[in-house]
Amino acid sequence: MACARCRCRGRGRAAASALLFEAMVVELAKSQPVADIAEQVGEHDTRLWRFITHYVREARLYEGHTGVEAIGIDETSRRGHNYITVVADLVERNVINVTPGKDAHTIERFARDFMDHNGDPNRVRPVTCDMSLGFAKGIRQWLPDAAKVIDKFHVIKHANEAVDKAGKAEGRENPLLKRTKYLWLRNESNLTDSQLEVKRNLAKRRSKTARACGMRECLQDIHADSASRAEAEAEFRALCSWMMHSRLEPMKALARQFRRHWNDILAYFDNRYTNAILEDLNSIIQHVKTRPWDCLSKCVTGLNWPVVWPVGKAGGRCLLGQWET
């Protein structure tokens, strides 16, 4: 048997023990940081990462993407403006690729890896992503038959940013809005009774921020209640008209942004795919980055089964198998 750590030919009990040890570490790495495992087994984490990476690369050789037709694409930062893009199969809920960058070349690298693993770019139909022009260009070039879908998470994220801008602009003139940021950005179901009372009292004073928040809540209702694309389109037209006549510059800018991406936003109501799996994964990545001495490895391994995510000596974590939310 070949030992993954030293590439030698082992014999007998020693080789069997080494393989069992490596199997145990790979299993533990599903749920624990590699640095913690290294401390438990009395081994250096660099040596553990060496054979974990070996098994990941070996598993990738047998990976196949035949039949993948719905994918989600989202980017997250490793450090500052150093981005990586994560791609997932929305039906099987598997991470199938991670690649550096967030532009059209990112989609090209994914498409080539996808074809190397028996995937057919011409069979991909819905592709959920954000409003990035780089992603849009890459999708047109490398996924020619795909329908780009801007899911509700990204739409509402932009609405929250517009509400926040409106609140900051009004807050400079109205001291009553001091420390009320999250009253407008959170759903009312997540507010306490006292917070709800403050929010409603400010709304009675004809606050501009309250009007912007009402538009964001209307947007959420459209995504929650619209039974068809035609119904959603009528509601979006009314909402955009309200925004454009609101005399609130952040909301007017949001309406113009919606109109630039009109068909891609409405495509969500044809299939209801979202990037929830990727949003959950990105939140974990961002959380790991906050730990002391953590940093995402500059060498990103293509992901699916198993998934390896090296994030530094203090908190390296190996994610294996399907990603479940």
Side-chain angles (χ1 to χ4, degrees):
M1 297 181 182
C3 176
R5 288 181 290 173
C6 59
R7 305 295 191 274
C8 65
R9 300 294 294 181
R11 296 289 182 185
R13 294 181 180 178
S17 297
L19 288 174
L20 288 173
F21 172 78
E22 291 170 359
M24 179 191 72
V25 170
V26 170
E27 186 66 25
L28 289 174
K30 293 180 182 180
S31 58
Q32 297 183 41
V34 173
D36 291 353
I37 301 171
E39 185 176 350
Q40 293 171 27
V41 301
E43 186 59 270
H44 198 279
D45 64 338
T46 302
R47 185 167 293 177
L48 301 189
W49 272 120
R50 190 178 301 142
F51 66 74
I52 290 172
T53 303
H54 163 79
Y55 287 123
V56 168
R57 289 175 177 168
E58 191 174 73
R60 285 274 289 166
L61 297 176
Y62 301 98
E63 183 180 54
H65 301 326
T66 303
V68 174
E69 296 182 354
I71 63 172
I73 302 174
D74 201 11
E75 87 282 347
T76 189
S77 62
R78 294 189 292 186
R79 186 170 293 277
H81 295 287
N82 193 7
Y83 289 91
I84 55 175
T85 294
V86 185
V87 184
D89 177 355
L90 298 180
V91 176
E92 298 295 330
R93 304 183 68 78
N94 283 338
V95 176
I96 60 177
N97 185 267
V98 172
T99 187
K102 61 167 189 172
D103 54 13
H105 296 297
T106 303
I107 306 300
E108 177 184 356
R109 287 191 291 271
F110 157 70
R112 293 187 184 281
D113 179 78
F114 190 62
M115 290 185 284
D116 288 342
H117 292 87
N118 300 320
D120 184 358
N122 294 317
R123 293 189 60 181
V124 176
R125 293 297 181 265
V127 178
T128 61
C129 61
D130 58 18
M131 300 182 187
S132 164
L133 296 178
F135 282 166
K137 180 181 177 181
I139 290 169
R140 287 195 301 271
Q141 291 178 342
W142 294 95
L143 304 171
D145 295 325
K148 183 184 172 189
V149 179
I150 299 176
D151 74 335
K152 63 180 181 180
F153 291 108
H154 291 106
V155 173
I156 294 172
K157 175 186 174 183
H158 285 286
N160 277 331
E161 291 172 352
V163 172
D164 190 35
K165 289 178 183 177
K168 288 177 179 177
E170 187 181 13
R172 287 190 284 269
E173 305 169 357
N174 186 351
L176 293 176
L177 291 178
K178 187 176 181 181
R179 297 180 180 176
T180 63
K181 173 179 178 177
Y182 294 103
L183 296 183
W184 312 111
L185 298 183
R186 290 175 180 162
N187 295 327
E188 291 194 352
S189 60
N190 296 325
L191 299 178
T192 64
D193 292 340
S194 60
Q195 289 173 329
L196 269 176
E197 185 178 358
V198 171
K199 180 179 179 179
R200 288 167 182 169
N201 287 337
L202 289 171
K204 290 177 183 177
R205 294 174 178 267
R206 299 182 181 277
S207 163
K208 295 178 182 179
T209 309
R211 279 195 291 136
C213 180
M215 296 172 195
R216 191 261 295 168
E217 290 172 347
C218 180
L219 179 63
Q220 289 179 298
D221 291 340
I222 293 173
H223 281 93
D225 301 334
S226 296
S228 66
R229 176 174 176 146
E231 182 180 342
E233 184 169 11
E235 296 288 347
F236 261 101
R237 290 188 187 282
L239 176 60
C240 287
S241 177
W242 181 16
M243 290 177 174
M244 291 302 295
H245 291 86
S246 66
R247 292 182 291 181
L248 299 173
E249 284 305 319
M251 305 314 292
K252 291 168 68 175
L254 180 65
R256 288 191 286 268
Q257 186 178 34
F258 284 173
R259 287 172 174 172
R260 288 196 298 271
H261 299 275
W262 190 257
N263 290 328
D264 296 338
I265 291 173
L266 292 177
Y268 165 77
F269 298 94
D270 291 331
N271 50 55
R272 306 279 178 166
Y273 283 116
T274 72
N275 272 2
I277 174 180
L278 296 172
E279 296 298 331
D280 289 341
L281 179 57
N282 288 347
S283 68
I284 290 178
I285 294 169
Q286 297 305 319
H287 172 70
V288 169
K289 283 170 52 182
T290 64
R291 298 183 57 180
W293 301 102
D294 283 6
C295 63
L296 292 175
S297 170
K298 292 184 181 297
C299 179
V300 180
T301 307
L303 305 183
N304 187 11
W305 191 100
V307 176
V308 164
W309 200 270
V311 285
K313 291 186 176 181
R317 183 182 296 274
C318 177
L319 306 176
L320 299 110
Q322 289 190 343
W323 180 259
E324 298 179 356
T325 59

Short mmCIF file of all heavy atoms in Angstrom, two decimals, residues 49-83:
data_model
loop_
_atom_site.label_atom_id
_atom_site.label_comp_id
_atom_site.label_asym_id
_atom_site.label_seq_id
_atom_site.Cartn_x
_atom_site.Cartn_y
_atom_site.Cartn_z
N TRP A 49 -2.48 18.24 6.97
CA TRP A 49 -3.00 18.84 5.74
C TRP A 49 -2.42 18.16 4.51
O TRP A 49 -3.10 18.06 3.48
CB TRP A 49 -2.65 20.33 5.71
CG TRP A 49 -3.66 21.22 6.38
CD1 TRP A 49 -3.46 22.05 7.43
CD2 TRP A 49 -5.03 21.35 6.01
NE1 TRP A 49 -4.64 22.69 7.75
CE2 TRP A 49 -5.62 22.28 6.89
CE3 TRP A 49 -5.84 20.77 5.03
CZ2 TRP A 49 -6.95 22.65 6.82
CZ3 TRP A 49 -7.18 21.14 4.96
CH2 TRP A 49 -7.72 22.06 5.84
N ARG A 50 -1.20 17.67 4.61
CA ARG A 50 -0.55 17.05 3.45
C ARG A 50 -1.34 15.84 2.98
O ARG A 50 -1.63 15.69 1.79
CB ARG A 50 0.89 16.67 3.81
CG ARG A 50 1.73 16.24 2.62
CD ARG A 50 3.15 15.93 3.07
NE ARG A 50 3.77 17.08 3.70
CZ ARG A 50 4.57 17.02 4.75
NH1 ARG A 50 4.84 15.84 5.30
NH2 ARG A 50 5.10 18.12 5.25
N PHE A 51 -1.71 14.95 3.91
CA PHE A 51 -2.41 13.76 3.40
C PHE A 51 -3.91 14.00 3.23
O PHE A 51 -4.56 13.33 2.43
CB PHE A 51 -2.13 12.51 4.26
CG PHE A 51 -2.63 12.52 5.67
CD1 PHE A 51 -3.98 12.35 5.95
CD2 PHE A 51 -1.75 12.65 6.73
CE1 PHE A 51 -4.43 12.32 7.25
CE2 PHE A 51 -2.19 12.61 8.04
CZ PHE A 51 -3.55 12.46 8.31
N ILE A 52 -4.48 14.98 3.93
CA ILE A 52 -5.87 15.34 3.65
C ILE A 52 -5.99 15.85 2.21
O ILE A 52 -6.88 15.45 1.46
CB ILE A 52 -6.38 16.40 4.66
CG1 ILE A 52 -6.54 15.78 6.05
CG2 ILE A 52 -7.72 16.98 4.19
CD1 ILE A 52 -6.86 16.80 7.13
N THR A 53 -5.07 16.73 1.84
CA THR A 53 -5.08 17.26 0.47
C THR A 53 -4.87 16.14 -0.55
O THR A 53 -5.48 16.13 -1.62
CB THR A 53 -3.98 18.33 0.32
OG1 THR A 53 -4.19 19.36 1.29
CG2 THR A 53 -3.99 18.93 -1.08
N HIS A 54 -4.01 15.18 -0.22
CA HIS A 54 -3.78 14.05 -1.11
C HIS A 54 -5.09 13.30 -1.38
O HIS A 54 -5.41 13.00 -2.54
CB HIS A 54 -2.75 13.10 -0.50
CG HIS A 54 -2.73 11.74 -1.13
ND1 HIS A 54 -2.11 11.48 -2.32
CD2 HIS A 54 -3.30 10.57 -0.72
CE1 HIS A 54 -2.27 10.21 -2.64
NE2 HIS A 54 -2.98 9.62 -1.68
N TYR A 55 -5.84 13.01 -0.34
CA TYR A 55 -7.08 12.25 -0.52
C TYR A 55 -8.15 13.06 -1.23
O TYR A 55 -8.96 12.52 -1.98
CB TYR A 55 -7.58 11.74 0.83
CG TYR A 55 -6.74 10.61 1.37
CD1 TYR A 55 -6.12 10.71 2.62
CD2 TYR A 55 -6.54 9.45 0.63
CE1 TYR A 55 -5.34 9.67 3.12
CE2 TYR A 55 -5.75 8.41 1.12
CZ TYR A 55 -5.15 8.53 2.36
OH TYR A 55 -4.37 7.51 2.84
N VAL A 56 -8.16 14.36 -1.00
CA VAL A 56 -9.12 15.21 -1.72
C VAL A 56 -8.83 15.19 -3.21
O VAL A 56 -9.73 15.00 -4.04
CB VAL A 56 -9.07 16.66 -1.18
CG1 VAL A 56 -9.84 17.60 -2.10
CG2 VAL A 56 -9.64 16.72 0.22
N ARG A 57 -7.57 15.37 -3.57
CA ARG A 57 -7.22 15.36 -4.99
C ARG A 57 -7.50 14.00 -5.62
O ARG A 57 -7.93 13.91 -6.77
CB ARG A 57 -5.76 15.74 -5.15
CG ARG A 57 -5.48 17.20 -4.85
CD ARG A 57 -4.01 17.54 -4.89
NE ARG A 57 -3.80 18.97 -4.67
CZ ARG A 57 -2.63 19.53 -4.42
NH1 ARG A 57 -1.55 18.75 -4.35
NH2 ARG A 57 -2.52 20.82 -4.23
N GLU A 58 -7.28 12.96 -4.87
CA GLU A 58 -7.56 11.61 -5.38
C GLU A 58 -9.06 11.43 -5.59
O GLU A 58 -9.50 10.85 -6.60
CB GLU A 58 -7.03 10.58 -4.39
CG GLU A 58 -7.03 9.16 -4.93
CD GLU A 58 -6.36 8.19 -3.96
OE1 GLU A 58 -6.98 7.87 -2.92
OE2 GLU A 58 -5.22 7.78 -4.23
N ALA A 59 -9.87 11.92 -4.63
CA ALA A 59 -11.31 11.79 -4.76
C ALA A 59 -11.84 12.60 -5.94
O ALA A 59 -12.80 12.19 -6.61
CB ALA A 59 -11.99 12.25 -3.47
N ARG A 60 -11.20 13.75 -6.21
CA ARG A 60 -11.64 14.58 -7.33
C ARG A 60 -11.50 13.86 -8.67
O ARG A 60 -12.23 14.16 -9.61
CB ARG A 60 -10.81 15.87 -7.37
CG ARG A 60 -11.19 16.88 -6.31
CD ARG A 60 -12.33 17.75 -6.76
NE ARG A 60 -11.89 18.67 -7.80
CZ ARG A 60 -12.71 19.36 -8.58
NH1 ARG A 60 -14.00 19.21 -8.45
NH2 ARG A 60 -12.24 20.18 -9.50
N LEU A 61 -10.57 12.92 -8.76
CA LEU A 61 -10.39 12.18 -10.02
C LEU A 61 -11.62 11.37 -10.36
O LEU A 61 -11.89 11.08 -11.53
CB LEU A 61 -9.16 11.28 -9.93
CG LEU A 61 -7.81 11.98 -9.72
CD1 LEU A 61 -6.71 10.94 -9.55
CD2 LEU A 61 -7.50 12.91 -10.90
N TYR A 62 -12.39 10.95 -9.34
CA TYR A 62 -13.56 10.10 -9.55
C TYR A 62 -14.87 10.90 -9.49
O TYR A 62 -15.94 10.32 -9.53
CB TYR A 62 -13.58 8.99 -8.50
CG TYR A 62 -12.35 8.12 -8.54
CD1 TYR A 62 -11.30 8.33 -7.65
CD2 TYR A 62 -12.22 7.11 -9.48
CE1 TYR A 62 -10.15 7.54 -7.68
CE2 TYR A 62 -11.09 6.31 -9.53
CZ TYR A 62 -10.06 6.54 -8.63
OH TYR A 62 -8.93 5.76 -8.68
N GLU A 63 -14.75 12.19 -9.41
CA GLU A 63 -15.92 13.05 -9.29
C GLU A 63 -16.57 13.25 -10.66
O GLU A 63 -15.89 13.44 -11.66
CB GLU A 63 -15.47 14.39 -8.71
CG GLU A 63 -16.56 15.39 -8.45
CD GLU A 63 -15.96 16.66 -7.87
OE1 GLU A 63 -15.04 17.22 -8.49
OE2 GLU A 63 -16.39 17.06 -6.79
N GLY A 64 -17.89 13.23 -10.71
CA GLY A 64 -18.61 13.44 -11.96
C GLY A 64 -19.76 14.41 -11.80
O GLY A 64 -20.46 14.37 -10.79
N HIS A 65 -19.94 15.28 -12.79
CA HIS A 65 -21.02 16.26 -12.75
C HIS A 65 -22.06 16.00 -13.82
O HIS A 65 -22.79 16.90 -14.23
CB HIS A 65 -20.45 17.67 -12.93
CG HIS A 65 -19.45 18.05 -11.87
ND1 HIS A 65 -19.54 17.61 -10.57
CD2 HIS A 65 -18.33 18.83 -11.94
CE1 HIS A 65 -18.53 18.10 -9.87
NE2 HIS A 65 -17.77 18.83 -10.68
N THR A 66 -22.14 14.75 -14.27
CA THR A 66 -23.16 14.39 -15.26
C THR A 66 -24.55 14.64 -14.68
O THR A 66 -24.86 14.22 -13.58
CB THR A 66 -23.03 12.91 -15.65
OG1 THR A 66 -21.71 12.67 -16.12
CG2 THR A 66 -24.04 12.55 -16.73
N GLY A 67 -25.37 15.34 -15.43
CA GLY A 67 -26.74 15.58 -14.99
C GLY A 67 -26.93 16.86 -14.20
O GLY A 67 -28.07 17.20 -13.86
N VAL A 68 -25.87 17.59 -13.89
CA VAL A 68 -26.02 18.86 -13.17
C VAL A 68 -26.63 19.89 -14.11
O VAL A 68 -26.08 20.19 -15.17
CB VAL A 68 -24.66 19.35 -12.64
CG1 VAL A 68 -24.81 20.73 -12.01
CG2 VAL A 68 -24.10 18.36 -11.63
N GLU A 69 -27.78 20.44 -13.74
CA GLU A 69 -28.49 21.38 -14.62
C GLU A 69 -28.83 22.70 -13.94
O GLU A 69 -29.23 23.64 -14.63
CB GLU A 69 -29.78 20.73 -15.13
CG GLU A 69 -29.53 19.50 -16.00
CD GLU A 69 -30.81 18.92 -16.55
OE1 GLU A 69 -31.89 19.40 -16.15
OE2 GLU A 69 -30.74 17.98 -17.36
N ALA A 70 -28.71 22.78 -12.62
CA ALA A 70 -29.02 24.03 -11.91
C ALA A 70 -27.87 24.33 -10.96
O ALA A 70 -27.55 23.52 -10.09
CB ALA A 70 -30.33 23.89 -11.14
N ILE A 71 -27.25 25.48 -11.13
CA ILE A 71 -26.10 25.82 -10.30
C ILE A 71 -26.29 27.21 -9.69
O ILE A 71 -27.01 28.06 -10.21
CB ILE A 71 -24.78 25.78 -11.08
CG1 ILE A 71 -24.76 26.82 -12.20
CG2 ILE A 71 -24.52 24.39 -11.63
CD1 ILE A 71 -23.41 26.95 -12.90
N GLY A 72 -25.62 27.41 -8.56
CA GLY A 72 -25.57 28.71 -7.91
C GLY A 72 -24.14 29.18 -7.84
O GLY A 72 -23.22 28.39 -7.61
N ILE A 73 -23.92 30.48 -8.04
CA ILE A 73 -22.59 31.07 -8.03
C ILE A 73 -22.60 32.25 -7.06
O ILE A 73 -23.48 33.10 -7.12
CB ILE A 73 -22.18 31.55 -9.44
CG1 ILE A 73 -22.22 30.39 -10.44
CG2 ILE A 73 -20.81 32.19 -9.42
CD1 ILE A 73 -21.97 30.82 -11.88
N ASP A 74 -21.60 32.29 -6.19
CA ASP A 74 -21.49 33.42 -5.27
C ASP A 74 -20.03 33.61 -4.90
O ASP A 74 -19.26 32.64 -4.89
CB ASP A 74 -22.32 33.18 -4.01
CG ASP A 74 -22.65 34.49 -3.29
OD1 ASP A 74 -22.41 35.57 -3.87
OD2 ASP A 74 -23.16 34.43 -2.15
N GLU A 75 -19.65 34.85 -4.61
CA GLU A 75 -18.27 35.13 -4.24
C GLU A 75 -18.20 35.56 -2.78
O GLU A 75 -19.17 36.04 -2.21
CB GLU A 75 -17.66 36.21 -5.14
CG GLU A 75 -17.89 37.64 -4.70
CD GLU A 75 -19.29 38.15 -5.02
OE1 GLU A 75 -20.00 37.47 -5.79
OE2 GLU A 75 -19.68 39.21 -4.48
N THR A 76 -17.03 35.36 -2.20
CA THR A 76 -16.75 35.85 -0.86
C THR A 76 -15.29 36.23 -0.81
O THR A 76 -14.48 35.77 -1.62
CB THR A 76 -17.08 34.79 0.21
OG1 THR A 76 -17.00 35.38 1.51
CG2 THR A 76 -16.14 33.60 0.14
N SER A 77 -14.93 37.09 0.13
CA SER A 77 -13.55 37.56 0.19
C SER A 77 -12.73 36.67 1.10
O SER A 77 -13.22 36.21 2.14
CB SER A 77 -13.49 39.01 0.68
OG SER A 77 -13.99 39.10 2.00
N ARG A 78 -11.49 36.41 0.72
CA ARG A 78 -10.56 35.68 1.58
C ARG A 78 -9.91 36.65 2.57
O ARG A 78 -9.80 36.38 3.75
CB ARG A 78 -9.48 34.99 0.75
CG ARG A 78 -10.03 33.88 -0.12
CD ARG A 78 -8.92 33.09 -0.76
NE ARG A 78 -8.19 33.88 -1.75
CZ ARG A 78 -7.24 33.37 -2.53
NH1 ARG A 78 -6.90 32.11 -2.40
NH2 ARG A 78 -6.61 34.12 -3.41
N ARG A 79 -9.48 37.78 2.07
CA ARG A 79 -8.91 38.83 2.92
C ARG A 79 -8.94 40.12 2.13
O ARG A 79 -8.36 40.21 1.05
CB ARG A 79 -7.48 38.47 3.34
CG ARG A 79 -6.89 39.45 4.36
CD ARG A 79 -5.59 38.93 4.91
NE ARG A 79 -5.78 37.75 5.73
CZ ARG A 79 -6.14 37.76 7.01
NH1 ARG A 79 -6.40 38.91 7.61
NH2 ARG A 79 -6.26 36.65 7.68
N GLY A 80 -9.63 41.13 2.64
CA GLY A 80 -9.74 42.39 1.93
C GLY A 80 -10.48 42.20 0.61
O GLY A 80 -11.61 41.71 0.58
N HIS A 81 -9.83 42.59 -0.49
CA HIS A 81 -10.45 42.48 -1.82
C HIS A 81 -9.92 41.26 -2.58
O HIS A 81 -9.96 41.23 -3.81
CB HIS A 81 -10.20 43.76 -2.62
CG HIS A 81 -10.85 44.96 -2.02
ND1 HIS A 81 -12.22 45.17 -2.08
CD2 HIS A 81 -10.35 46.01 -1.31
CE1 HIS A 81 -12.52 46.30 -1.46
NE2 HIS A 81 -11.40 46.83 -0.98
N ASN A 82 -9.46 40.27 -1.87
CA ASN A 82 -8.97 39.03 -2.47
C ASN A 82 -10.11 38.02 -2.45
O ASN A 82 -10.44 37.46 -1.42
CB ASN A 82 -7.77 38.52 -1.66
CG ASN A 82 -7.02 37.44 -2.40
OD1 ASN A 82 -7.31 37.16 -3.56
ND2 ASN A 82 -6.06 36.83 -1.74
N TYR A 83 -10.76 37.82 -3.60
CA TYR A 83 -12.01 37.07 -3.65
C TYR A 83 -11.84 35.64 -4.15
O TYR A 83 -10.92 35.33 -4.91
CB TYR A 83 -13.01 37.79 -4.56
CG TYR A 83 -13.55 39.07 -3.99
CD1 TYR A 83 -12.91 40.28 -4.25
CD2 TYR A 83 -14.68 39.07 -3.17
CE1 TYR A 83 -13.40 41.47 -3.71
CE2 TYR A 83 -15.18 40.25 -2.65
CZ TYR A 83 -14.53 41.44 -2.92
OH TYR A 83 -15.01 42.61 -2.38
#
